[in-house]
Amino acid sequence: MSSLRLQPTFRLDLPLAPEAARTRLQEVVRSGEVGGPAEAAGSCVVLRAPAEEQRVWSPYLTAQLGPASDRGGSGSELLARFTPRPEVWTLLMMVYFGCVFAALAGGVYGCVQWLLGATPWALGLVPIGFAAIGVLHAVSLIGQNLSSHQMSALRERLERIVELASE
C-alpha cells in the first residue's frame, strides 16, 4: 500500500441483488469457511487479523454492501476500507484534533499578543501543530507499511468470501 491515503479503499462487485448478497455474505462468514476472525451484521462485514498476529498497527477491513452504482440496479457491490482498530482510530483522531486545536489557538493568541504589542510567542504553536500533523501522518503510513502483509491477507479473505457468496 504505497498510497498516501489514511484509509485505503476498494470495491468488489457481486452478481446478486443486494438483499440476496447480504444473506449469502452472512451465511459464508458464519460458516467459517474462510478462516480468521470475521463478523457480518446487516450489510456490513468486518475482518480482522488473527489475535496472535495483532499489533497496534494491525488493520481492520470493513466492507459495506450496497447496490451496484454502475449497472443500473442489477447486482451489488462491496465498498471495502482498511482502518486501524477502533481504539487506535479514536486515539489518532483525538491527537489530530488536538494538533489542529493547538495550531488554531496558538494562531489566535499569537495575533492577540502581536496586536497588543507583546512578543507573539504563541505563533510558534502554528508550525509546531502542523509539523505534528505531518509526523502523525508519517507514523500512520509506517503502520500501513508494517501491516501490508495483513492488509493483503484480509483482502484475499474478503475476495474469497465474495467468491463463495457468488456461487
Side-chain angles (χ1 to χ4, degrees):
M1 299 286 146
S2 60
S3 160
L4 293 178
R5 296 178 13 209
L6 284 180
Q7 296 181 326
T9 304
F10 61 95
R11 295 177 191 276
L12 296 174
D13 292 324
L14 286 93
L16 304 170
E19 192 59 36
R22 182 183 63 79
T23 303
R24 283 293 299 143
L25 286 170
Q26 288 179 354
E27 290 171 359
V28 171
V29 168
R30 288 189 183 116
S31 73
E33 292 180 55
V34 292
E39 299 171 23
S43 60
C44 296
V45 176
V46 178
L47 302 175
R48 300 183 306 279
E52 62 274 1
E53 294 177 21
Q54 284 192 5
R55 307 288 179 265
V56 171
W57 53 84
S58 292
Y60 268 37
L61 178 57
T62 58
Q64 179 76 34
L65 182 68
S69 56
D70 62 348
R71 286 194 238 147
S74 69
S76 53
E77 72 178 6
L78 277 174
L79 174 62
R81 175 172 288 141
F82 289 103
T83 62
R85 294 192 331 250
E87 62 273 14
V88 173
W89 184 246
T90 302
L91 175 64
L92 187 68
M93 287 297 102
M94 256 179 37
V95 173
Y96 265 113
F97 288 129
C99 291
V100 169
F101 178 78
L104 288 174
V108 169
Y109 191 62
C111 286
V112 169
Q113 288 174 320
W114 182 45
L115 290 172
L116 293 175
T119 304
W121 60 266
L123 287 176
L125 291 176
V126 174
I128 290 171
F130 288 118
I133 289 171
V135 168
L136 193 57
H137 191 74
V139 168
S140 298
L141 295 175
I142 290 169
Q144 275 186 23
N145 285 333
L146 289 173
S147 66
S148 62
H149 66 286
Q150 290 177 333
M151 292 170 78
S152 296
L154 291 174
R155 183 172 182 152
E156 288 172 10
R157 281 178 41 210
L158 183 61
E159 288 172 350
R160 180 68 180 142
I161 289 171
V162 168
E163 179 183 315
L164 290 171
S166 298
E167 292 177 349

